[in-house]
Amino acid sequence: MSRDELTKIILPEDKMPKFWYNVQADMPTPLAPGLHPGTKKPLIPADLQAIFADGLIAQEVSTERFIEIPKEIREEYKKWRPSPLFRAHSLEKALDTPCRIYYKYEGFSPVGSHKLNSAIPQVFFNKMQGIKRITTETGAGQWGTALSLACKRYDIEAMVYMVRVSYNQKPYRRIFMEMYGATCVSSPSTLTESGRKALAETPDTPGTLGLAISEAVEDAVGREDTKYSLGSVLNHVCLHQSIIGQEVKLQMEMVDDYPDIVIGCCGGGSNFAGIAFPFIPDKLKGKKVRLLGVEPAACPSMTKGVFAYDLGDVAGFTPLLKMYTLGHNFVPSGIHAGGLRYHGESPLVSQLYHDGLIEATAVMQNDCFSAAQLFAQTEGIIPAPESSHAIRAAINEALKGKEEGKAKSIVFNLSGHGHLDLAAYDNYLSGKTEDVEFPEEALRESLKTLPQV
Amino acid sequence: MSRDELTKIILPEDKMPKFWYNVQADMPTPLAPGLHPGTKKPLIPADLQAIFADGLIAQEVSTERFIEIPKEIREEYKKWRPSPLFRAHSLEKALDTPCRIYYKYEGFSPVGSHKLNSAIPQVFFNKMQGIKRITTETGAGQWGTALSLACKRYDIEAMVYMVRVSYNQKPYRRIFMEMYGATCVSSPSTLTESGRKALAETPDTPGTLGLAISEAVEDAVGREDTKYSLGSVLNHVCLHQSIIGQEVKLQMEMVDDYPDIVIGCCGGGSNFAGIAFPFIPDKLKGKKVRLLGVEPAACPSMTKGVFAYDLGDVAGFTPLLKMYTLGHNFVPSGIHAGGLRYHGESPLVSQLYHDGLIEATAVMQNDCFSAAQLFAQTEGIIPAPESSHAIRAAINEALKGKEEGKAKSIVFNLSGHGHLDLAAYDNYLSGKTEDVEFPEEALRESLKTLPQV
């Protein structure tokens, strides 16, 4: 069938990639090393062993281009992978655009998002090492849900610190995690020093991902049987998500097409990295493909931040990473896309952005909600507020293509559905979501607290 | 690949059935005619024209074995069809059963259930006739959501009367419908005579599907531009859902298997009919395949009701249909599987049950929730409370197979996900869902009010 007849492009199960793609093999500028938060000396693997499993540390520092996906993990992936690539016929028609819009839909994973792509391998490698308990943070709850299911799969206890504003906005998320047997608490909590300190200083804080990370790391380092797990930012997470973009390439080949532009939303960066990184080798070989990361205007680490060493969390338990950052003390407004409320950006995405291989743009919350509504009313799927950032950018590009009379091929990562975010849409539909002005002064203050290296 | 290697059995888009299967062509006992509620004479198509579009009435009375699916509808179906047939490897392992368990997953439709299979054609045939507005009832909200999306697709106004107990239990459902531009009100409402009457008589009623149907029909007959739409029970709805079972047959062929037993939950009956009816011709030809409908013990029309003419609604606006019924005045307890709280059973399912071609069983709410939890923790997907009835029965059959040392092939319809039902699971997890004793006395009273024909 021709590309214009198909609605879904389905990769057969036996064509699912057997390797993850590691962009570290192809970086024009190698990654700056992570630094120990105390000594500020380059990290050695041993520094990471207190919090991460050995298999994941090996992936974190590897520069091998392809890393095999263990067979056990591939069997788990098959419950929802390969994921479909949809052609957005109805959306194209509504926009009256000559462009071809495709979306890679990760919402068919049992937890409703791409996060399970990394949760399964992270828990798997912890299991290999005999770990009994894993702690983590979660923003909107997508990562926490994924980790909870993966832990149940491998019979490991899961402890999730969920950013307070999201915990209150999305009550169904806690239940989702509990269905998998996990424990989920609101962060800041009274269970950790970092949490108690934050509650004492700012009792009404909405919480941040950086703070929830501090709590989860503090909890993990205190117990022999426990490790910590992170849902984005790090190299090994971007590595696991590379299966998305690799599948997209095979699926585009199936319909004899190639993207002019690849789009993903950017919080910690793994969502965007997952769909975009596998196109980097083509780009380095001269292929004309734009890779566009989309940030929320309320938390724009690449478009308003600085490229500098910063902490990954508030309390200072994590290594210093060189990344685009708003400063680890920056508290973004309580937008509904809780998964994008992170002060920093993945070091890999940051370096590639710095080197001009990828682009970034920032979009306003209400513009994303209106894009989400149009998408729901044409393609049917209610998207996660995070994913709606990619939809907004894709629509903008399709409208630009229409203006310019160019039939571009646009692909974006629809990283998850919004069934657990309907309260956010209720707010939007009743005109209650306001776009607040960006707090420039708070950013300046936050940047003053960047660690000196 | 062999059947034991595959996790998902995917039918290619171009193999999607082009015809609906009409079981009326193969009924050993033809359907008893519907009767006019006033004259009690057999219905003629004209009687139905006040509420239904002509294209649907033609399907309702047809005895053609195969009815072509219009190309426009097939294009819409392709947004989520063919739906995958999953092999439940992890569940089988947890049960330590020699049986092969498959589930047909309809939850990948944009609205999260099989209901869109009928909503799209129903709205399409109304659109052909120039209808501008459609009213309907909804229990748990799955049908209302599907109709809302279909109406948006064809630019028709949607008005949904949602049974009060579900409206309160599942607040996200209203927002889901509103995202598609529909209006959703709690039933009984003050917008109709039937609603006002019910509110006056029993102000604290949880509502019933029968009452919501009365409101929606009353609303529709009062307006020239408006028709009514029903999400289950009727022949044309079962017809549309036949695409499910037809796909299952093709998918089972792909892995060289054939079911010993096919299972679906039963409310109005279209869910079960959809997966089971396409196996009727095989069964009539002597194939050994059991077809099992699963009812909630709180609303067991087949296992505790009578086979008699009854009204489809409370107020008496609908035709009299010969079906298994608990009486149209029966008010089931407020179980979370709101989609199964209907007093009657599809006349087609009823007649086939009466003729011994299908079997029925009733299960308790808490047994369904525990089955749902085991399913979520093994296969990952959180099922709709309705679908959990089918899971319970499938697990029971798999355990029986283990006991008997028989490696049966079991297929069930996982008709939808439970992302909008997490409050119900929260109740279950905190031990708050009680199985109430069946109200035998209320049933006897209700059966006394069956219409005399």
Side-chain angles (χ1 to χ4, degrees):
Chain A
M1 284 176 115
S2 86
R3 68 187 178 198
D4 292 322
E5 280 171 56
L6 281 171
T7 298
K8 297 181 301 300
I9 303 148
I10 306 283
L11 195 66
E13 213 170 91
D14 59 2
K15 293 278 186 294
M16 189 177 77
K18 295 187 173 59
F19 293 81
W20 288 303
Y21 165 69
N22 182 8
V23 78
Q24 288 195 78
D26 294 314
M27 308 267 293
T29 313
L31 220 47
L35 305 180
H36 189 283
T39 66
K40 305 207 173 144
K41 290 204 174 131
L43 287 178
I44 52 169
D47 292 333
L48 295 171
Q49 285 171 340
I51 45 176
F52 293 118
D54 294 343
L56 300 171
I57 297 171
Q59 293 174 356
E60 186 66 16
V61 299
S62 170
T63 52
E64 288 286 314
R65 182 166 287 111
F66 290 101
I67 294 176
E68 190 170 4
I69 307 173
K71 188 167 187 304
E72 297 88 334
I73 293 174
R74 279 187 276 129
E75 288 307 309
E76 288 301 309
Y77 274 178
K78 284 182 190 171
K79 285 184 180 151
W80 74 98
R81 306 211 70 84
S83 68
L85 181 71
F86 282 92
R87 174 75 184 271
H89 290 299
S90 299
L91 176 62
E92 288 173 20
K93 208 171 152 197
L95 298 172
D96 188 26
T97 176
C99 296
R100 299 182 298 286
I101 307 176
Y102 300 87
Y103 54 97
K104 177 71 167 170
Y105 189 41
E106 294 289 311
F108 286 162
S109 99
V111 296
S113 83
H114 68 299
K115 292 292 190 185
L116 202 53
N117 299 332
S118 187
I120 291 286
Q122 287 198 42
V123 177
F124 173 83
F125 286 107
N126 274 286
K127 181 73 179 182
M128 293 299 94
Q129 207 173 314
I131 296 306
K132 303 273 185 264
R133 182 169 172 272
I134 297 180
T135 66
T136 196
E137 79 296 326
T138 196
Q142 304 220 1
W143 169 248
T145 312
L147 191 82
S148 300
L149 173 56
C151 280
K152 170 52 66 179
R153 176 67 192 83
Y154 294 107
D155 196 21
I156 283 179
E157 193 184 332
M159 176 70 195
V160 182
Y161 294 85
M162 183 167 181
V163 177
R164 185 194 267 176
V165 57
S166 293
Y167 187 90
N168 293 335
Q169 279 170 349
K170 304 171 205 288
Y172 280 20
R173 276 287 170 196
R174 169 187 58 77
I175 310 168
F176 213 140
M177 297 181 226
E178 287 174 354
M179 275 295 281
Y180 297 135
T183 304
C184 171
V185 297
S186 174
S187 165
S189 77
T190 55
L191 301 176
T192 66
E193 276 300 322
S194 334
R196 288 188 291 268
K197 183 161 174 283
L199 285 171
E201 285 170 6
T202 46
D204 61 344
T205 178
T208 63
L209 276 164
L211 181 54
I213 293 172
S214 293
E215 291 206 79
V217 173
E218 182 187 328
D219 177 334
V221 294
R223 289 180 57 165
E224 189 83 3
D225 63 347
T226 302
K227 295 274 183 211
Y228 163 73
S229 183
L230 182 62
S232 190
V233 181
L234 297 179
N235 306 342
H236 66 273
V237 187
C238 295
L239 175 80
H240 302 152
Q241 296 296 354
S242 71
I243 193 161
I244 300 174
Q246 290 187 82
E247 286 181 4
V248 167
K249 289 181 78 172
L250 295 170
Q251 287 165 311
M252 292 296 276
E253 268 174 32
M254 285 170 71
V255 289
D256 199 22
D257 204 348
Y258 191 88
D260 293 298
I261 178 161
V262 177
I263 299 171
C265 65
C266 272
S270 73
N271 177 323
F272 170 67
I275 195 163
F277 284 1
F279 289 92
I280 291 278
D282 293 359
K283 200 171 164 89
L284 290 170
K285 279 180 213 136
K287 259 284 204 207
K288 279 207 175 100
V289 51
R290 291 173 55 204
L291 307 174
L292 177 63
V294 190
E295 310 186 309
C299 195
S301 41
M302 285 187 281
T303 51
K304 287 214 179 211
V306 297
F307 190 40
Y309 272 104
D310 195 7
L311 288 162
D313 72 328
V314 169
F317 296 140
T318 67
L320 301 178
L321 299 173
K322 193 168 179 195
M323 59 183 175
Y324 278 88
T325 180
L326 301 163
H328 59 277
N329 284 316
F330 182 78
V331 180
S333 66
I335 54 168
H336 289 283
L340 306 182
R341 290 178 72 250
Y342 186 62
H343 66 275
E345 183 56 56
S346 143
L348 289 171
V349 173
S350 294
Q351 186 64 56
L352 291 164
Y353 176 60
H354 197 69
D355 288 347
L357 282 164
I358 63 172
E359 306 167 36
T361 187
V363 291
M364 303 293 273
Q365 171 163 252
N366 275 325
D367 289 341
C368 294
F369 278 129
S370 66
Q373 193 181 16
L374 176 63
F375 187 78
Q377 297 193 345
T378 49
E379 296 298 315
I381 298 168
I382 309 249
E386 289 79 12
S387 315
S388 75
H389 289 67
I391 299 176
R392 175 78 269 166
I395 290 176
N396 290 351
E397 291 292 332
L399 292 174
K400 215 192 295 171
K402 176 182 174 182
E403 234 175 69
E404 297 168 352
K406 280 187 192 154
K408 292 182 288 187
S409 173
I410 301 166
V411 183
F412 69 89
N413 193 1
L414 187 66
S415 51
H417 63 62
H419 301 158
L420 287 294
D421 305 282
L422 283 161
Y425 287 110
D426 198 27
N427 265 314
Y428 168 70
L429 292 174
S430 47
K432 286 186 207 141
T433 46
E434 281 177 17
D435 278 317
V436 297
E437 212 174 326
F438 184 77
E440 302 283 354
E441 181 55 29
L443 173 61
R444 272 190 296 273
E445 288 305 312
S446 165
L447 290 178
K448 281 181 196 159
T449 65
L450 285 181
Q452 301 299 313
V453 295
Chain B
M1 284 176 116
S2 86
R3 67 187 179 200
D4 291 323
E5 280 172 53
L6 281 171
T7 298
K8 296 180 300 300
I9 303 147
I10 305 283
L11 194 67
E13 214 170 271
D14 59 2
K15 293 279 188 292
M16 191 177 76
K18 295 187 173 59
F19 292 82
W20 289 303
Y21 166 68
N22 182 9
V23 79
Q24 288 194 75
D26 294 316
M27 308 266 295
T29 313
L31 221 48
L35 305 180
H36 189 284
T39 66
K40 306 206 171 145
K41 289 203 173 133
L43 286 179
I44 53 171
D47 292 332
L48 295 170
Q49 285 171 339
I51 45 176
F52 292 119
D54 295 343
L56 300 171
I57 297 171
Q59 293 174 359
E60 186 66 18
V61 299
S62 169
T63 52
E64 287 285 313
R65 183 166 288 111
F66 290 102
I67 294 177
E68 191 171 4
I69 308 173
K71 188 167 187 305
E72 296 90 332
I73 293 174
R74 277 187 278 132
E75 287 307 309
E76 288 301 311
Y77 275 177
K78 284 183 189 171
K79 284 184 179 151
W80 74 99
R81 306 211 71 84
S83 68
L85 181 71
F86 282 91
R87 174 75 185 272
H89 290 299
S90 299
L91 177 61
E92 289 172 19
K93 208 172 151 196
L95 297 173
D96 187 27
T97 175
C99 297
R100 299 182 299 285
I101 306 176
Y102 300 87
Y103 53 98
K104 177 70 167 171
Y105 189 40
E106 294 289 310
F108 285 162
S109 98
V111 297
S113 82
H114 68 299
K115 292 291 190 185
L116 203 53
N117 298 333
S118 187
I120 291 286
Q122 287 199 41
V123 177
F124 173 82
F125 286 108
N126 274 286
K127 181 73 180 181
M128 293 298 96
Q129 206 172 314
I131 297 305
K132 302 273 185 264
R133 183 169 172 272
I134 297 179
T135 66
T136 197
E137 80 296 326
T138 197
Q142 304 220 4
W143 169 248
T145 312
L147 191 83
S148 299
L149 173 55
C151 279
K152 170 50 68 181
R153 176 65 193 83
Y154 292 108
D155 198 20
I156 283 179
E157 195 184 331
M159 176 70 194
V160 182
Y161 293 86
M162 183 167 180
V163 178
R164 186 194 265 175
V165 57
S166 293
Y167 187 90
N168 294 335
Q169 277 170 350
K170 303 170 205 289
Y172 281 20
R173 275 288 169 195
R174 170 187 59 77
I175 310 168
F176 213 140
M177 297 181 225
E178 287 174 354
M179 275 295 280
Y180 296 137
T183 304
C184 170
V185 297
S186 173
S187 166
S189 77
T190 55
L191 301 176
T192 66
E193 276 300 323
S194 336
R196 287 187 293 267
K197 183 160 173 280
L199 285 171
E201 285 171 5
T202 44
D204 61 345
T205 178
T208 64
L209 274 164
L211 180 54
I213 292 173
S214 293
E215 291 205 81
V217 173
E218 181 186 330
D219 178 333
V221 295
R223 288 179 56 164
E224 189 82 4
D225 63 347
T226 302
K227 296 272 184 213
Y228 163 73
S229 183
L230 183 63
S232 189
V233 182
L234 297 179
N235 306 342
H236 67 273
V237 187
C238 295
L239 176 79
H240 302 151
Q241 296 296 356
S242 71
I243 192 161
I244 300 174
Q246 290 187 82
E247 285 181 6
V248 168
K249 290 181 77 173
L250 295 171
Q251 287 165 311
M252 292 296 276
E253 268 173 34
M254 284 170 71
V255 289
D256 199 21
D257 205 347
Y258 191 87
D260 293 299
I261 178 160
V262 177
I263 299 171
C265 64
C266 273
S270 73
N271 178 322
F272 170 66
I275 195 162
F277 284 2
F279 289 93
I280 291 280
D282 292 358
K283 202 173 162 87
L284 291 170
K285 278 180 216 138
K287 260 282 202 208
K288 278 210 173 94
V289 50
R290 291 174 54 204
L291 307 175
L292 176 63
V294 190
E295 310 186 310
C299 195
S301 39
M302 286 187 281
T303 48
K304 286 212 178 212
V306 297
F307 190 40
Y309 272 105
D310 195 7
L311 288 161
D313 71 328
V314 169
F317 296 140
T318 67
L320 301 178
L321 299 173
K322 193 166 179 196
M323 58 184 176
Y324 278 87
T325 180
L326 302 164
H328 59 277
N329 284 316
F330 183 78
V331 180
S333 65
I335 54 168
H336 289 283
L340 306 182
R341 289 179 71 252
Y342 187 61
H343 65 275
E345 183 55 57
S346 144
L348 289 171
V349 173
S350 294
Q351 186 63 57
L352 291 164
Y353 177 59
H354 197 68
D355 289 347
L357 281 164
I358 62 173
E359 305 166 35
T361 187
V363 290
M364 302 294 274
Q365 172 162 253
N366 275 326
D367 289 340
C368 294
F369 277 129
S370 66
Q373 191 180 17
L374 175 62
F375 187 78
Q377 296 193 346
T378 50
E379 296 298 313
I381 298 168
I382 309 247
E386 289 79 11
S387 316
S388 74
H389 289 67
I391 299 175
R392 176 76 269 165
I395 289 176
N396 290 350
E397 291 293 332
L399 292 175
K400 214 191 297 171
K402 177 181 172 181
E403 236 176 67
E404 298 167 353
K406 280 187 191 154
K408 291 182 289 186
S409 173
I410 301 166
V411 183
F412 70 89
N413 193 1
L414 187 66
S415 52
H417 63 61
H419 301 157
L420 287 295
D421 305 283
L422 284 161
Y425 287 110
D426 199 25
N427 264 315
Y428 169 69
L429 291 173
S430 47
K432 286 186 207 140
T433 45
E434 282 177 16
D435 279 317
V436 297
E437 212 174 325
F438 184 77
E440 302 283 355
E441 180 54 32
L443 174 62
R444 274 191 294 273
E445 287 304 312
S446 167
L447 289 177
K448 283 182 195 159
T449 66
L450 285 181
Q452 302 298 315
V453 295

